[in-house]
Amino acid sequence: MTTDATQPTPYVPAHTETPRMPDRPRHVLPPNACDGHCHVFGPYDRFPLQHPSSYAAPDAPAARHRRMLDTLGAQRGVLIQPAPYGTDPSALLDALAQGQGRLRGVAAADPGVSDAQLAALYEGGVRALRFVEARDPAGRLFPGSVGFDQLPVLAPRLKAHGLHAQLWAPCDVYLRHLPGLARLGIALVIDHLGSLVPSRGPDDAVFQLLRGLLADGGIWMKLTVCRVGKAPDYADARYLHDAFTQANPDQVLWGSDWPFVRMGDKAPAADALVDMAWEWLGDDALRHKVWVDNPERLYGF
């Protein structure tokens, strides 16, 4: 949603990939469990991309996403706007409407978005805007992304409309931006365990910053382990997962990251991720917080 007069040309990918679908997990998720990080793409004849994708476009429409949730035993889900859709929320809003209350969304918008458009996003089930500070070797933002520098401009309006912000960047970027962004007075959700590098260990400055802000209630953390750990067991990322859940169990969220873009044949099985998280979380009280209570509170289910 933008007032920019230069609109991208809709782009229908010539080839798509069918995403890996899960089996039923060994463990039964608690009632109203939420998969807090997924994406929908297509159908491309109705919802063409706004920018050519830098990865193989998945065949991941709303109905397939709901089947994935049903197989996992998750009654709720959160859908994140993929960068190739830019600031066009059509596919996202359609998926949220099909979800009939079981889904919430994270959209993308630049400062040109109107207050009427922000209100419409909220009414359609959107509860946050996503800001991405990932750049190509020439220093350009990935096509379709809204950078961190736009968040301070939008923050007062997000707050007025009941929206929070979700952030994704390479880990070292947070050192420059996050201390200031954390003072904006809105909830900040950090994607993918802060994109940390597990081999840096617990003395890593970015890890220390994120853990400290989480402990103080300044951020929320997505426990999307498959984006930082080494498959198949992600054991190298276990200490990050545990440190964040211990720092503030009331502000951590679980997500599968289905349909696992950029991962190709290395994509994990979402049911295996559920079973791993079940074992890592360790007890029913923490499982209920991570899968039910925390997303319910943040996204307003």
Side-chain angles (χ1 to χ4, degrees), residues 129-154:
L129 296 183
R130 193 186 200 197
F131 299 85
V132 174
E133 195 60 32
R135 298 178 180 268
D136 66 17
R140 297 170 298 212
L141 284 173
F142 287 168
S145 300
V146 178
F148 283 9
D149 60 335
Q150 304 302 301
L151 177 51
V153 180
L154 278 164

Side-chain angles (χ1 to χ4, degrees), residues 197-211:
V197 180
S199 62
R200 292 188 184 184
D203 293 329
D204 177 32
V206 188
F207 169 67
Q208 294 288 340
L209 171 68
L210 293 171
R211 184 174 62 176

